[in-house]
Amino acid sequence: MKTILCLLFTTLSLHAQNVRPWTDYRVILWMGDQGQKALANPVMAERLREMGINSGMIGVGGDASFYQKNGFGHYVENIVNEGLCLKFRSKVTNWDKTVTDWAKTRDMASLVRDYPLEDADWLQRMGDRMKKSAREAAPQSPLLYDIRDELSTTISANPFDYDFSTTSLAAFREWLKTRYESLDALNQQWQTSFTSWDAVMPFTTDQIKQRMGSNKPGPESKTDWAEVRAVNLDLAKAKQERTRWNFSPWADHRSYMDLALARALDHFRKASHEVDPATPVGIEGTQMPHAFGGYDLWRMSQVLDWVEPYDICNSREIFGSFMPGKPILATVFEKDTNAAMRRLWHLLLEGDKGSIIWWSEDVIDYSKPELPLTAKGKALAPVFKSLTTPLAKLFMLAERERDPLLIHYSQPSVQVAWLLESTVDGSTWLRRFGSYESDHNRHAVVRNAWLKALQDIGFSPTFISGEELAKGMPTTPRLLVLPQSWAMSQGERDAARFFAKRENRVVIADGPHGLFDEHGTLRKDFDWPENEAPEKTRITFGTNPGEKAFEEVSTTLSEYPVNRLKADFDPAPLESIRQLLAERGVRPPVTVPAEARVRVHRFKVGDKARLIAFERNIEYRMREELAQVGGNEALEKPTTFTAKLQQPGFVVNLRTGEKLGQVSELQVNLDPWQPALFAVLPMEPADDVISELLK
């Protein structure tokens, strides 16, 4: 047990290593078996260059000589081959069959994960594997080490009550001792009556749902699903039914499983850095923020040097806020030039430093000796070449500018929201797969609504984690959005309230904020009006005299992501937000008309220039299978609008080279598939602006 706890309770790393910086955009080809064999073909290097590829991959112990010989970079893929991705080397590789069979018995024995994330032997073996791989690969200076692709505590973001193994429960109890000062304190919080720490057991999802349905402490051995489906959060009754809304025996376990995965990843990253501190270590194929799967994106961001996120439910934007400057890569699955051009340039402007093409068999025809590009390969070639031009490099290396507007990211709120939203499913909650949640999770919709709304009026907001908020708000932010922030610690609540009392500060709460504590327990003293529906938005702001009460009540923005994609879009809700902020001195440095639905990206190149990029602010509604959901047709047309600059300057269209003179506003002709790119300079520009700015 000592060894387990030593491995488990190491402090999470905060990127202390000086990893090798990235200065070039990397187009990486994920190599299947045929691709690996084709590396022996003399034309392979030529074919990769034809497509605009400058990097490849090897497996553990793989041969990187082809890449070195031909001047390509490479990364090492899927080093940890056991335990992190249960799609392989486990008893549950067929997840649909696993949950279908479990639904018939709902037995506790099946809630034991094949690989407990705290198992000392597994951690040691996989840590040694990381070291061995890094030791072998380090002399070739790989771009990255990938711990594992598509990892999860379950599979993807699918719900299941892992882990009730003896090993995991023992470590969970030790962790609880760091959260509660005594067993009595835990029993009081959980509404349980455990007589010893060794007897403490978290609630399963069935058990917590039975508590919701019955308003009895439990845990019960059987669940009345009709009772559960009838559950509804009625604030007028909630204070008299607090047991019904005490989720802590379940939520604490979910938080612990998030932490257990993060600690395992941190252990493997540290093992690699012991041997090779220069090469970034991260993961591929991450899922949406979720109560299951280990997907607390804040915790993950603190133990990774790089990440390749599946951009589901704002995952990319959230990771970008939590991992500024660190390599973030995209998976390339598109077959169409326009779709790929739009998304990859969008991600480059968001800070991506590369992309991984899935996969070699799709872009190269291995049936012919000359290895011609497939139709998909030919379609993608101009996209990749555009991403490695001096123009793209200028934006990749420039310093991104963000606005002092923060959106709260709260994993406890993600947990509470999942319980509230899934009651309608009854006993079939376990089939609420990540592929379903990506389209139907209302909590994610509300978060996305505020992100898109602020972007559509020209701002570049940032996400702030609950942990960051609890430490106190920095002095510069002017707006804090709490999008269905159901669960907040007292520190978070205090920070938000103190912020709201400061001059010209605004807090927008979409739904009751802090109704539950960080353990998922309804507060005794919640102050949301009992006769007011939870689906409301409340706004409070600081004024010159100081505190001002909640001043405005309106409907939620939850319908905004759908309405903004309509051809007859009404920008009135956006204008009211813009006016609210403007009255308190918060205006975007570049103003665009709300009806244009344009995303503005801003950068600095030292004191030489400001860079501005405009793109259609489409909805990247990705699903788990990486397909882009439709609905953007209204934004897939050329548009012309006027952008107003708060700070005028000499403007150059970087795509055409046209010099627009010294202006405070400019007319932008925007292609729906490629961003419009401009430089704003303090003095008359030279002929070759891009070269000058790259010096």
Side-chain angles (χ1 to χ4, degrees), residues 416-431:
V416 169
W418 187 88
L419 276 182
L420 296 176
E421 292 183 34
S422 64
T423 55
V424 296
D425 298 318
S427 64
T428 63
W429 59 264
L430 71 162
R431 300 204 67 84

Side-chain angles (χ1 to χ4, degrees), residues 492-506:
E492 290 172 87
R493 293 176 85 201
D494 290 345
R497 286 175 173 175
F498 178 77
F499 175 77
K501 293 178 183 179
R502 295 175 58 197
E503 184 178 353
N504 287 331
R505 297 315 196 264
V506 181

Side-chain angles (χ1 to χ4, degrees), residues 262-523:
R263 282 174 167 159
L265 296 177
D266 193 41
H267 173 70
F268 299 139
R269 186 174 72 98
K270 286 177 178 175
S272 179
H273 280 313
E274 282 182 32
V275 177
D276 179 6
T279 301
V281 181
I283 60 177
E284 295 175 304
T286 66
Q287 305 295 319
M288 65 181 282
H290 203 272
F292 292 91
Y295 280 98
D296 178 341
L297 302 196
W298 167 253
R299 287 198 190 279
M300 280 191 165
S301 73
Q302 299 306 286
V303 298
L304 300 172
D305 299 322
W306 71 276
V307 68
E308 181 221 42
Y310 291 162
D311 193 5
I312 306 171
C313 297
N314 306 132
S315 292
R316 172 60 186 80
E317 295 265 11
I318 295 167
F319 271 125
S321 293
F322 295 161
M323 300 177 68
K326 301 202 174 295
I328 299 181
L329 283 72
T331 305
V332 181
F333 55 86
E334 290 92 347
K335 298 180 180 179
D336 175 74
T337 305
N338 281 338
M341 186 75 75
R342 176 177 66 186
R343 187 171 71 94
L344 294 182
W345 263 92
H346 159 75
L347 291 172
L348 181 139
L349 295 172
E350 286 288 340
D352 270 20
K353 298 183 183 298
S355 51
I356 301 176
I357 304 166
W358 176 260
W359 61 328
S360 59
E361 275 72 351
D362 277 357
V363 297
I364 296 175
D365 185 352
Y366 296 114
S367 68
K368 299 174 182 175
E370 64 275 19
L371 304 180
L373 298 183
T374 64
K376 177 177 177 177
K378 291 176 182 177
L380 294 178
V383 180
F384 297 133
K385 289 176 180 177
S386 77
L387 293 165
T388 54
T389 59
L391 176 59
K393 186 168 185 175
L394 175 62
F395 279 85
M396 193 187 96
L397 296 180
E399 178 187 351
R400 293 186 68 204
E401 291 189 314
R402 296 293 195 120
D403 294 304
L405 314 178
L406 302 178
I407 302 175
H408 187 223
Y409 173 88
S410 165
Q411 189 69 5
S413 298
V414 170
Q415 296 165 356
V416 169
W418 187 88
L419 276 182
L420 296 176
E421 292 183 34
S422 64
T423 55
V424 296
D425 298 318
S427 64
T428 63
W429 59 264
L430 71 162
R431 300 204 67 84
R432 201 176 178 96
F433 291 171
S435 54
Y436 174 87
E437 290 278 76
S438 64
D439 288 339
H440 297 89
N441 186 285
R442 187 173 182 276
H443 183 265
V445 167
V446 173
R447 178 177 61 232
N448 181 54
W450 285 100
L451 176 66
K452 288 296 185 184
L454 292 171
Q455 289 176 345
D456 282 346
I457 53 178
F459 290 109
S460 291
T462 304
F463 285 94
I464 182 172
S465 72
E467 287 84 349
E468 291 174 300
L469 177 59
K471 293 176 182 177
M473 289 282 285
T475 57
T476 52
R478 305 293 297 279
L479 169 71
L480 174 64
V481 179
L482 304 172
Q484 283 204 341
S485 296
W486 293 106
M488 299 172 69
S489 67
Q490 190 58 46
E492 290 172 87
R493 293 176 85 201
D494 290 345
R497 286 175 173 175
F498 178 77
F499 175 77
K501 293 178 183 179
R502 295 175 58 197
E503 184 178 353
N504 287 331
R505 297 315 196 264
V506 181
V507 175
I508 298 177
D510 196 327
H513 59 291
L515 197 67
F516 297 78
D517 67 17
E518 70 271 31
H519 303 276
T521 299
L522 186 73
R523 280 192 162 88

Side-chain angles (χ1 to χ4, degrees), residues 431-629:
R431 300 204 67 84
R432 201 176 178 96
F433 291 171
S435 54
Y436 174 87
E437 290 278 76
S438 64
D439 288 339
H440 297 89
N441 186 285
R442 187 173 182 276
H443 183 265
V445 167
V446 173
R447 178 177 61 232
N448 181 54
W450 285 100
L451 176 66
K452 288 296 185 184
L454 292 171
Q455 289 176 345
D456 282 346
I457 53 178
F459 290 109
S460 291
T462 304
F463 285 94
I464 182 172
S465 72
E467 287 84 349
E468 291 174 300
L469 177 59
K471 293 176 182 177
M473 289 282 285
T475 57
T476 52
R478 305 293 297 279
L479 169 71
L480 174 64
V481 179
L482 304 172
Q484 283 204 341
S485 296
W486 293 106
M488 299 172 69
S489 67
Q490 190 58 46
E492 290 172 87
R493 293 176 85 201
D494 290 345
R497 286 175 173 175
F498 178 77
F499 175 77
K501 293 178 183 179
R502 295 175 58 197
E503 184 178 353
N504 287 331
R505 297 315 196 264
V506 181
V507 175
I508 298 177
D510 196 327
H513 59 291
L515 197 67
F516 297 78
D517 67 17
E518 70 271 31
H519 303 276
T521 299
L522 186 73
R523 280 192 162 88
K524 294 179 182 179
D525 61 341
F526 71 81
D527 53 7
W528 193 266
E530 295 178 2
N531 60 351
E532 188 175 301
E535 296 79 18
K536 291 286 185 179
T537 300
R538 304 175 77 198
I539 299 173
T540 183
F541 27 77
T543 61
N544 280 331
E547 183 176 4
K548 195 167 187 178
F550 283 106
E551 180 151 309
E552 181 178 335
V553 178
S554 62
T555 56
T556 179
L557 269 189
S558 61
E559 296 301 315
Y560 181 69
V562 173
N563 292 336
R564 67 183 293 278
L565 297 179
K566 295 178 180 178
D568 58 349
F569 167 66
D570 178 7
L574 288 189
E575 293 302 340
S576 63
I577 296 171
R578 192 203 298 269
Q579 182 178 352
L580 171 73
L581 294 173
E583 287 171 355
R584 280 145 194 87
V586 184
R587 298 177 179 85
V590 180
T591 302
V592 291
E595 61 271 17
R597 287 151 289 178
V598 168
R599 175 82 167 93
V600 182
H601 302 266
R602 307 190 317 276
F603 306 80
K604 287 193 303 184
V605 184
D607 57 0
K608 295 180 181 178
R610 290 172 287 137
L611 305 180
I612 306 172
F614 302 95
E615 60 169 341
R616 294 311 296 265
N617 195 18
I618 76 153
E619 189 69 63
Y620 286 99
R621 291 176 54 235
M622 313 300 291
R623 288 204 181 102
E624 185 183 8
E625 63 272 20
L626 300 185
Q628 164 66 37
V629 180

